[in-house]
Amino acid sequence: MADASDIITYIGVPLAVLGVLPIFYTFINSFLTLRNIRRSLRKCGLEATTRGSFMAGFVEVSLPRFSITPLERTEDEYWTETSKPSNLKGGTWTILHWNQLITSHAMQRVQYSSDLKVPQAEVDLEELYEFLLDRGAVPDVKGIHMLRVSGLWTPTGTSLMLSPDATQSVLRVSMPDDSDGVLSLALQWKSEWNKRNHSSLPPGWMRLEFPVLVSSKVGNKVLDDVEKSTHLVDTSPAKANFEDTETVKGEELRRRRSDPPPPPSYSPSPTSLRFRLTSSAHHPHLQFRSPTYEHHLSPLSSAPLPSLEGLRPTTTWLAPLSLSLDLSCQCATTFLALPQSLYSLSDSSSIPCGVLVLAHLLSANDAPEWETPETPLRHAHEMHERFVLQQQAIARERLLPEAQREQASKLRRSEELSAMTSRAIKEQRERVEREERREREAIGSRKMNVELVANAALGYLEGEGEVLEAINDSGEGPKQGKDTSQIAVERLLVGVYKADTGIDAEQNAWALDACVMLDRWRDWSEKGGMNKEDLRAILQDKKAFCWAAIAVGLVTKVCEKERADGSGLLGDVRECLRVWKKVRLG
């Protein structure tokens, strides 16, 4: 018969051992979890403080939280991926290289290594967006619109940016992980998507190309003056504000024409101009920054080319027209908004039809009736009456004696001479009055659509051989993606930049004349209409008016597009960048 010691031996000891097993399991599990976590952190290149509570079964991990910014695009790592991307949750931002700054530490208590998460990194949304655009990602129109409409309630997984081939998501909305009301995003990138490099045009930058040109009037290939040896002047023109008077600009233009500096030439000849436009709360006006010449898309910044960083164009039309030209393209490279002054200009940019007729830009048959018609047979009746009276006087003279006849004839000729003189003075006075009346009626005539004005101006310049059709580098056909008005405005901008910075100023003085006409156009738009001085300025410099009309036509087209597409991609991107300054990337 078993006694009490046997019961303790065969039953109590096994029960005691079974009671200790959970403690052993917790200890071993915590140890293995700690080891796996350290291995994962070491593999991902993350530094963290780990501490295991073996008896409690928890592992405490203190991971740094980073604030990240993109590298300089001149660095090689900017265009590559990291060799040790994190495979932990929330570590998608470790796929690419960043400038990292530790802002805080996040403490996590986990039981299993799969529960470990990398703290989301804080990043400026605009910098992130431009960085991914520079790497070749494309915006997802539907996803960005969803973000603008829904905000933090945007469904998880909504794609904001797509891969260069638009087949996979690059940037998407992720689950909020202790984001404190901040938008959470996740990143994905693959090496086969690397199609761009440092020579590619960065987002927010623009390029004015100096294309090979062929004249539409002559029919043979002509190199634009920008393909000639370009000159550079060691001057820094003073920057003028948007309210510069026409007198100052006229004096500056005459000075440049009469006394152009002799600059040194250099080679190779530039084929394009790269620059960027900036605007901020402190400087609301558009700023023309970092202009750099390029030769076949490669920056010409080394010797023998001096840097263009010190040059600042003084004309106030270069930046707004450049922005309008960029926004007129299908794929704009900037998210800046048009200045309000351009919207005001587009609202009152119509030209009276009579002005176009007087400038011989529009046929009188194609224009609405605008001038008082003259009596077509009035001069014929007057001439007939004079002829009848003259014949009657001659007939009466024939009935007179010889002496009286000669005296009457002499008196008649004297009266005819006096009448002819008075008639000439009267006709001259009537001609002046008629011209003044035509000018008044032309100014007050019905206004034409700005698109018709721009087309008429474009037709005139094409007829004069001024607008040249761009062809591709191989000379096989027209350059794709640009219409004639965009090519014309691009050529105008090139001329404005070169003339305003003292480079071939004399050859490009026509571009500054167009800017003076644009200033005058803005003035009469603000006053509510043009006056006689404006009309006479148009008639005296029809070429400058035509260039200005083409530019205003493009501005008006862009303003209408911006109003119509207020909820389009650019509007959605601007609103999202305004609302979400900082986001969490993980």
Side-chain angles (χ1 to χ4, degrees):
M1 182 175 179
D3 55 10
S5 61
D6 294 333
I7 295 174
I8 294 175
T9 302
Y10 295 107
I11 298 177
V13 172
L15 290 177
V17 172
L18 289 175
V20 177
L21 284 180
I23 299 176
F24 288 152
Y25 172 79
T26 302
F27 179 87
I28 296 173
N29 180 69
S30 301
F31 177 79
L32 294 177
T33 299
L34 178 61
R35 190 182 64 173
N36 292 336
I37 288 176
R38 288 177 175 176
R39 183 188 300 115
S40 298
L41 294 175
R42 187 166 51 251
K43 181 178 179 181
C44 299
L46 297 176
E47 296 182 358
T49 302
T50 58
R51 182 170 60 252
S53 179
F54 299 136
M55 300 303 296
F58 290 100
V59 175
E60 294 181 350
V61 182
S62 177
L63 284 168
R65 187 185 298 276
F66 292 95
S67 175
I68 58 176
T69 58
L71 301 176
E72 294 293 333
R73 70 190 315 269
T74 54
E75 300 182 29
D76 294 336
E77 293 181 343
Y78 182 92
W79 306 100
T80 59
E81 297 77 47
T82 57
S83 58
K84 295 181 178 180
S86 174
N87 56 359
L88 302 176
K89 297 178 182 179
T92 59
W93 61 271
T94 61
I95 298 175
L96 302 176
H97 294 279
W98 307 89
N99 291 318
Q100 302 178 8
L101 176 65
I102 298 178
T103 57
S104 62
H105 286 78
M107 178 66 71
Q108 301 181 44
R109 298 184 65 188
V110 297
Q111 281 187 299
Y112 304 98
S113 59
S114 59
D115 296 336
L116 183 63
K117 298 180 180 179
V118 177
Q120 294 177 325
E122 188 178 63
V123 62
D124 185 275
L125 181 58
E126 184 174 358
E127 293 182 355
L128 174 63
Y129 194 80
E130 292 184 353
F131 172 55
L132 295 179
L133 282 179
D134 202 10
R135 293 295 300 268
V138 294
D140 189 323
V141 180
K142 295 182 180 179
I144 293 179
H145 182 68
M146 178 68 72
L147 176 62
R148 176 182 182 179
V149 173
S150 304
L152 286 177
W153 289 270
T154 303
T156 301
T158 300
S159 176
L160 302 182
M161 301 192 74
L162 301 174
S163 58
D165 54 7
T167 58
Q168 300 184 48
S169 174
V170 171
L171 187 67
R172 67 183 186 277
V173 178
S174 66
M175 289 289 294
D177 180 23
D178 192 26
S179 56
D180 301 327
V182 180
L183 182 65
S184 296
L185 304 176
L187 180 66
Q188 177 187 5
W189 194 264
K190 297 181 180 180
S191 58
E192 56 265 25
W193 296 341
N194 294 328
K195 305 295 183 181
R196 290 168 55 88
N197 51 45
H198 66 279
S199 63
S200 303
L201 189 66
W205 286 65
M206 303 176 196
R207 175 178 285 127
L208 292 180
E209 298 181 359
F210 304 164
V212 179
L213 301 169
V214 59
S215 175
S216 58
K217 180 178 181 181
V218 181
N220 58 337
K221 293 183 180 179
V222 188
L223 286 180
D224 190 45
D225 54 341
V226 295
E227 287 292 331
K228 300 176 183 178
S229 296
T230 312
H231 301 287
L232 186 63
V233 184
D234 186 16
T235 58
S236 298
K239 182 177 180 180
N241 56 28
F242 201 72
E243 293 78 15
D244 282 344
T245 62
E246 180 184 349
T247 304
V248 175
K249 293 188 176 182
E251 293 177 355
E252 180 69 13
L253 177 59
R254 287 193 294 271
R255 182 188 64 79
R256 289 174 178 168
R257 284 179 172 176
S258 60
D259 189 21
S265 61
Y266 58 84
S267 61
S269 299
T271 58
S272 59
L273 174 69
R274 174 193 292 189
F275 62 94
R276 64 187 177 96
L277 299 176
T278 60
S279 177
S280 62
H282 301 288
H283 300 282
H285 296 293
L286 291 174
Q287 305 291 319
F288 188 86
R289 301 293 186 187
S290 308
T292 305
Y293 281 127
E294 297 176 319
H295 182 72
H296 297 303
L297 308 185
S298 297
L300 292 174
S301 57
S302 57
L305 261 170
S307 174
L308 300 179
E309 187 68 30
L311 294 179
R312 289 292 180 268
T314 59
T315 180
T316 57
W317 289 102
L318 187 59
L321 288 183
S322 300
L323 180 58
S324 300
L325 179 63
D326 181 72
L327 293 177
S328 67
C329 301
Q330 294 181 353
C331 297
T333 60
T334 182
F335 304 109
L336 296 175
L338 284 173
Q340 189 60 38
S341 58
L342 291 187
Y343 285 103
S344 302
L345 178 64
S346 65
D347 292 337
S348 56
S349 58
S350 298
I351 300 295
C353 61
V355 174
L356 299 180
V357 174
L358 293 182
H360 303 289
L361 298 177
L362 185 67
S363 172
N365 297 329
D366 298 333
E369 186 176 350
W370 60 276
E371 61 177 331
T372 304
E374 297 185 6
T375 305
L377 300 179
R378 182 171 65 88
H379 295 289
H381 286 310
E382 293 177 354
M383 185 179 297
H384 179 69
E385 290 177 1
R386 290 195 302 270
F387 176 76
V388 171
L389 293 176
Q390 184 184 34
Q391 294 302 317
Q392 291 175 354
I394 293 175
R396 287 193 299 270
E397 291 174 4
R398 290 174 181 171
L399 300 177
L400 297 175
E402 184 69 25
Q404 294 180 359
R405 184 190 310 158
E406 183 178 352
Q407 183 178 3
S409 177
K410 184 181 298 184
L411 179 61
R412 176 179 56 81
R413 287 194 296 268
S414 177
E415 291 177 352
E416 289 178 351
L417 180 61
S418 177
M420 185 176 62
T421 303
S422 300
R423 192 166 56 251
I425 295 175
K426 179 182 177 182
E427 290 178 354
Q428 177 65 22
R429 184 173 63 254
E430 290 179 348
R431 188 180 302 110
V432 172
E433 292 177 353
R434 184 169 61 253
E435 292 298 327
E436 291 180 352
R437 186 181 68 252
R438 290 193 75 197
E439 290 181 354
R440 291 195 302 270
E441 292 177 345
I443 294 174
S445 61
R446 177 181 175 183
K447 293 185 177 181
M448 302 292 290
N449 185 283
V450 68
E451 184 178 357
L452 297 178
V453 178
N455 291 336
L458 192 60
Y460 172 80
L461 292 179
E462 286 179 340
E464 295 295 320
E466 294 292 340
V467 177
L468 303 178
E469 182 182 4
I471 62 175
N472 55 24
D473 295 336
S474 61
E476 296 176 354
K479 182 170 292 186
Q480 300 295 328
K482 292 184 180 179
D483 57 24
T484 310
S485 62
Q486 291 173 327
I487 296 171
V489 173
E490 188 173 34
R491 184 178 178 223
L492 172 63
L493 290 172
V494 171
V496 170
Y497 179 80
K498 296 184 67 177
D500 202 65
T501 53
I503 305 171
D504 292 339
E506 186 175 355
Q507 292 83 351
N508 294 278
W510 59 270
L512 292 184
D513 292 338
C515 288
V516 173
M517 185 62 67
L518 284 171
D519 289 333
R520 185 181 287 273
W521 197 318
R522 184 195 66 239
D523 293 340
W524 79 54
S525 298
E526 293 175 352
K527 292 184 298 185
M530 63 174 60
N531 52 31
K532 292 183 179 180
E533 294 182 358
D534 299 326
L535 174 59
R536 290 164 185 168
I538 292 175
L539 299 179
Q540 291 175 1
D541 198 348
K542 192 188 307 183
K543 176 182 173 182
F545 170 75
C546 290
W547 283 109
I550 295 173
V552 174
L554 183 68
V555 168
T556 303
K557 188 185 303 183
V558 172
C559 290
E560 292 176 353
K561 177 184 175 183
E562 287 288 293
R563 289 191 180 101
D565 298 340
S567 58
L569 176 60
L570 287 180
D572 292 340
V573 170
R574 290 169 184 155
E575 183 64 18
C576 291
L577 295 181
R578 185 188 67 83
V579 174
W580 305 105
K581 298 296 184 181
K582 296 287 185 178
V583 295
R584 296 286 176 84
L585 184 61

